[in-house]
Amino acid sequence: ELDLEILEWAEFPYANLADPSNTDTHVEVLIRNPNDVPVRVNRDAAELRFVDAAGSVVYVNPSAVFYIWEGEWLLAGETAALSACVCFETSGLARQPWQTLELVAPLEPATDLDYTRDVVVTLGPFFNLADAHLGGDGLGAEVTLTNASDRVLRSIPMRVVARDADGRYVGIAAYGDAVASFRETIGIQPGDTATGVV
């Protein structure tokens, strides 16, 4: 299997309320499965490596959060994301400059998956949640999910990627699963439509 590709990333400071002097940062990484089959990621053996200009690894984070379906698999050619702390200070290390990233993520073919792409997702414009009296002080957007297949679905996974005004990748704006029920085996029927706010 081909390794997952790193397409883009964004780094920004953590808002560390417990220790405002902490200089650790956070990185959001856009990744892609270049294989022509779905793959499972062995997250227990995955590492995000931070590499300096000389090509030396200066920090390794073995605990990246993968924003992928069921936390473990990507479809053929799918673009997804992960996030990780660049935790020099929290790890007791001197902060070092880094220039690029390497991702070690062992893969295996996931040919046993049962899925469909026949789902219609419509995301409306973003709006201020407080102005709409929905609580919070962030942004939200209306979303509509429709099962356009002829199959009963267990869930509809969803991921909203954020970019800045210049088109640069910023991170994941919303991520999760629309599910029929957590307690009963009631499926999402063909033609079922749900609406909400992300």
Side-chain angles (χ1 to χ4, degrees), residues 117-142:
R117 290 182 183 265
D118 293 332
V119 174
V120 177
V121 180
T122 306
L123 186 67
F126 281 87
F127 59 88
N128 185 293
L129 291 170
D131 292 347
H133 307 290
L134 294 174
D137 59 358
L139 297 176
E142 289 187 8

Side-chain angles (χ1 to χ4, degrees), residues 8-16 20 22-30 48 50 61 65 67 81-88 90 95 98 101 161-164 168-173:
E8 297 179 64
W9 68 82
E11 182 185 15
F12 50 90
Y14 261 121
N16 192 324
N22 188 311
T23 61
D24 286 341
T25 56
H26 186 83
V27 68
E28 293 282 341
V29 184
L30 202 58
L48 186 61
F50 297 81
N61 187 320
V65 175
Y67 296 102
L82 63 84
S83 65
C85 176
V86 192
C87 293
F88 285 104
T90 302
R95 184 166 179 82
W98 59 274
L101 299 170
V161 173
R163 293 187 177 275
D164 67 15
R168 289 185 300 261
Y169 174 68
V170 176
I172 295 296

Side-chain angles (χ1 to χ4, degrees), residues 32-39 74-79 115 117:
R32 180 178 173 276
N33 173 16
N35 295 289
D36 59 4
V37 296
V39 294
L74 292 100
L75 296 178
E78 182 180 4
T79 298
Y115 66 92
R117 290 182 183 265

Side-chain angles (χ1 to χ4, degrees), residues 1-118:
E1 302 303 314
L2 299 173
D3 291 337
L4 297 178
E5 298 174 341
I6 292 178
L7 303 177
E8 297 179 64
W9 68 82
E11 182 185 15
F12 50 90
Y14 261 121
N16 192 324
L17 301 178
D19 182 5
S21 67
N22 188 311
T23 61
D24 286 341
T25 56
H26 186 83
V27 68
E28 293 282 341
V29 184
L30 202 58
I31 58 175
R32 180 178 173 276
N33 173 16
N35 295 289
D36 59 4
V37 296
V39 294
R40 277 196 173 80
V41 179
N42 181 345
R43 290 175 300 152
D44 292 336
E47 293 183 341
L48 186 61
R49 297 175 179 172
F50 297 81
V51 181
D52 67 14
S56 298
V57 175
V58 294
Y59 182 73
V60 175
N61 187 320
S63 303
V65 175
F66 284 80
Y67 296 102
I68 58 179
W69 304 146
E70 295 182 345
E72 66 179 36
W73 57 274
L74 292 100
L75 296 178
E78 182 180 4
T79 298
L82 63 84
S83 65
C85 176
V86 192
C87 293
F88 285 104
E89 187 170 328
T90 302
S91 300
L93 303 171
R95 184 166 179 82
Q96 298 183 55
W98 59 274
Q99 187 171 22
T100 191
L101 299 170
E102 292 177 357
L103 177 60
V104 175
L107 305 176
E108 65 180 45
T111 55
D112 59 337
L113 299 176
D114 186 18
Y115 66 92
T116 180
R117 290 182 183 265
D118 293 332

Side-chain angles (χ1 to χ4, degrees), residues 129-179:
L129 291 170
D131 292 347
H133 307 290
L134 294 174
D137 59 358
L139 297 176
E142 289 187 8
V143 64
T144 302
L145 307 169
T146 302
N147 178 3
S149 77
D150 59 358
R151 304 170 65 189
V152 178
L153 306 179
R154 186 178 70 209
S155 69
I156 301 176
M158 183 181 56
R159 178 176 50 238
V160 180
V161 173
R163 293 187 177 275
D164 67 15
D166 295 323
R168 289 185 300 261
Y169 174 68
V170 176
I172 295 296
Y175 175 76
D177 267 321
V179 296

